[in-house]
Amino acid sequence: MTAGEPAWAGEQGVGETEPGIRETTVRLSGPVSLKATLECGQAFRWKPAVFPGRPGLYSAYRGVMGRVAVIVGQASPVTEEILVAWDASFPLPSGRSASSGPAGGGDPSQAYVERLVRRYFSDGDDIRAIEESLARMGGVMGEAVAHGRGLRILTQDPWECLASYVLSLNKNVPAISMSVEYLAACFGEPAGMGAFGFPAPHVLASQEVSSLRESKCGFRDKYLHDAALKVASREVDLDLLGTLPTEEARRELMRIRGVGPKVADCVLLFAYHRLDVFPVDVWIARAVSRYFMGGKDVTPRAVREFGERYFGRLAGYAQEHLFYWIRDVRRNEP
DNA sequence: AAACAGGTGCTAA
DNA sequence: TTAGCACCTGTT
């Protein structure tokens, strides 16, 4: 191979891509659409990519799940199988990547990645039943669910999710993504594949507010710092939060500057998997008012209470399907 | 060029 | 309790 080319450029053999890159397939208990799931806006770190060694896949995205960078792909728009590529030259957080344990008894690093994917993509959710129930609720829900078929509410890391949504205040998705990526690259740990994990709370807490500002987070710098401080000191205990009733957990989160009802609800839904919460932003407020409340002018609080009551334990999925649909399909309508 | 963006905190009624 | 406004800065 010619000097200057990437080391992997000449490799054509089956299964041979970049050195250290490994691949596995995870079959979930129900359908998944990577596009709907990763582009609906619940997570900010996923970018379209080419799956290593399989350029013909229907879709693929690179991103970071917790502390591990991966590329995920699928062969058609909605499948039950996710292909996962990861960088085995980095030790996985489990501590025992390949060395410990006798060969032949299953591969611990592959098993770790599989567990990670199942958790992140909320494998326990009965997507078929959820979509069927939502579509049956009639009105626009049928159309919304048809558009977002295979959308899964992720189970993200609570701290990363909280920090990301603090950064989201009055910003658009590309801008949020830019700040998150900057913070990871600047203060995070290597996660493989040239990517970095989102920095731990104590790492951001120990920075000057002014250096956080370099992530282009603007006036949110002090909010991010406050969040890092309170989480690192356990003044707001993210582990304990998981055991609290939703109302109490929401109140706890809102003790952080820059965390109001919308941000708190997003964290409860996208990290703590409280599927009965209904985060309300301007888009959802518009959609609910228009399609469920006769176009009346309504407060965000009224919309939230309506959503939680009307959709019940499906509120989170209803919200995300509505959000994805209204932005994707109705973007150019009044 | 100017308005807008997945809200929230602050202040004034 | 509620309405009105400012807020950083990259996109559109």
Side-chain angles (χ1 to χ4, degrees):
Chain A
M1 116 186 35
T2 315
E5 280 183 358
W8 43 270
E11 304 279 355
Q12 296 296 333
V14 176
E16 295 288 335
T17 55
E18 298 183 52
I21 299 299
R22 300 202 38 204
E23 176 187 322
T24 188
T25 300
V26 179
R27 183 175 193 91
L28 300 177
S29 66
V32 57
S33 159
L34 292 179
K35 179 177 168 57
T37 300
L38 301 177
E39 289 189 9
C40 70
Q42 60 180 317
F44 300 100
R45 298 214 59 187
W46 297 95
K47 306 283 177 288
V50 174
F51 197 92
R54 297 178 184 268
L57 282 186
Y58 172 77
S59 72
Y61 297 83
R62 66 185 158 86
V64 182
M65 299 185 302
R67 299 168 59 175
V68 182
V70 295
I71 297 177
V72 293
Q74 66 183 158
S76 59
V78 180
T79 63
E80 294 190 4
E81 287 191 344
I82 303 177
L83 279 66
V84 187
W86 78 97
D87 191 341
S89 61
F90 274 75
L92 295 176
S94 64
R96 4 166 294 174
S97 46
S99 51
S100 67
D107 177 346
S109 101
Q110 181 167 321
Y112 179 85
V113 167
E114 181 173 332
R115 278 198 305 277
L116 202 61
V117 168
R118 287 193 191 286
R119 174 168 174 76
Y120 190 78
F121 284 90
S122 306
D123 191 31
D125 290 358
D126 189 344
I127 299 299
R128 286 181 210 289
I130 290 168
E131 291 181 355
E132 199 173 305
S133 302
L134 283 177
R136 233 198 285 280
M137 303 198 79
V140 295
M141 291 314 295
E143 200 181 323
V145 167
H147 179 255
R149 190 142 280 147
L151 190 163
R152 282 170 173 271
I153 304 280
L154 297 168
T155 303
Q156 301 182 52
D157 172 74
W159 162 242
E160 175 173 346
C161 187
L162 169 60
S164 301
Y165 277 92
V166 164
L167 292 173
S168 80
L169 302 187
N170 200 228
K171 281 215 288 194
N172 47 31
V173 174
I176 302 162
S177 181
M178 162 179 293
S179 290
V180 171
E181 292 296 343
Y182 176 91
L183 291 167
C186 212
F187 304 113
E189 297 294 324
M193 296 181 143
F196 294 84
F198 192 80
H202 74 269
V203 175
L204 293 189
S206 68
Q207 302 299 320
E208 299 292 337
V209 173
S210 59
S211 36
L212 299 182
R213 185 69 168 262
E214 288 168 27
S215 68
K216 310 299 180 189
C217 61
F219 64 86
R220 306 156 195 82
D221 56 358
K222 52 190 177 293
Y223 300 152
L224 178 63
H225 194 261
D226 186 57
L229 222 46
K230 288 188 167 127
V231 170
S233 69
R234 302 233 169 204
E235 182 180 337
V236 173
D237 187 331
L238 292 189
D239 295 325
L240 179 65
L241 229 55
T243 71
L244 296 179
T246 299
E247 284 301 328
E248 283 177 45
R250 177 186 285 122
R251 253 199 311 279
E252 278 302 298
L253 286 168
M254 287 175 61
R255 292 171 56 194
I256 296 165
R257 314 287 283 164
V259 178
K262 193 276 182 176
V263 169
D265 281 352
C266 284
V267 175
L268 290 171
L269 179 58
F270 301 134
Y272 290 95
H273 215 63
R274 302 290 172 96
L275 296 182
D276 53 345
V277 309
F278 193 80
V280 175
D281 53 59
V282 290
W283 292 88
I284 287 297
R286 266 202 293 268
V288 167
S289 162
R290 178 167 178 179
Y291 298 112
F292 295 92
M293 303 178 82
K296 263 191 322 188
D297 218 20
V298 283
T299 66
R301 176 174 183 142
V303 174
R304 178 171 68 108
E305 286 168 353
F306 169 85
E308 291 181 349
R309 187 162 38 79
Y310 188 81
F311 294 109
R313 64 189 178 80
L314 300 177
Y317 271 97
Q319 190 269 8
E320 212 48 24
H321 273 284
L322 268 177
F323 185 78
Y324 184 54
W325 172 72
I326 192 123
R327 287 176 51 108
D328 230 36
V329 176
R330 297 294 177 103
R331 183 180 297 276
N332 299 316
E333 297 183 23

